[in-house]
Amino acid sequence: FSNQYTEEEARKLGVVGWVKNTHQGTVTGQVQGPEDKVNAMKSWLSKVGSPSSRIDRTSFSNEKEISKLDFSGFSTRY
């Protein structure tokens, strides 16, 4: 899973947070922003993803309203 494409999509949509590849071959992360933008990012992660990725299943959890963003941009963690 190439996180470069995920970062580009996040910046394009205007959401902040992070993404990380796990040792199990999955991707984990956190996305913050206006609800419509977060929903657009969730849709992209579920249906599109990076060109070489194969998406079998997506799971979104711990969704809540926040008063302020915890991140200033979108990054890849290692």
Side-chain angles (χ1 to χ4, degrees):
F1 195 85
S2 172
N3 294 324
Q4 171 195 348
Y5 293 97
T6 307
E7 287 181 32
E8 284 175 18
E9 189 66 20
R11 278 194 274 273
K12 203 159 63 178
L13 289 171
V15 295
V16 297
W18 57 271
V19 67
K20 176 182 174 178
N21 291 326
T22 70
H23 295 299
Q24 293 82 25
T26 62
V27 178
T28 186
Q30 189 170 358
V31 177
Q32 295 182 351
E35 188 176 14
D36 60 329
K37 306 264 194 235
V38 169
N39 285 338
M41 188 68 189
K42 284 164 60 176
S43 176
W44 185 85
L45 289 166
S46 300
K47 300 182 178 86
V48 184
S50 60
S52 59
S53 66
R54 191 184 91 220
I55 303 164
D56 294 325
R57 186 173 61 88
T58 51
S59 171
F60 301 102
S61 59
N62 300 330
E63 296 187 46
K64 60 183 186 282
E65 285 199 23
I66 55 176
S67 55
K68 68 177 186 60
L69 300 174
D70 296 322
F71 309 99
S72 57
F74 199 91
S75 63
T76 297
R77 292 186 176 177
Y78 298 96

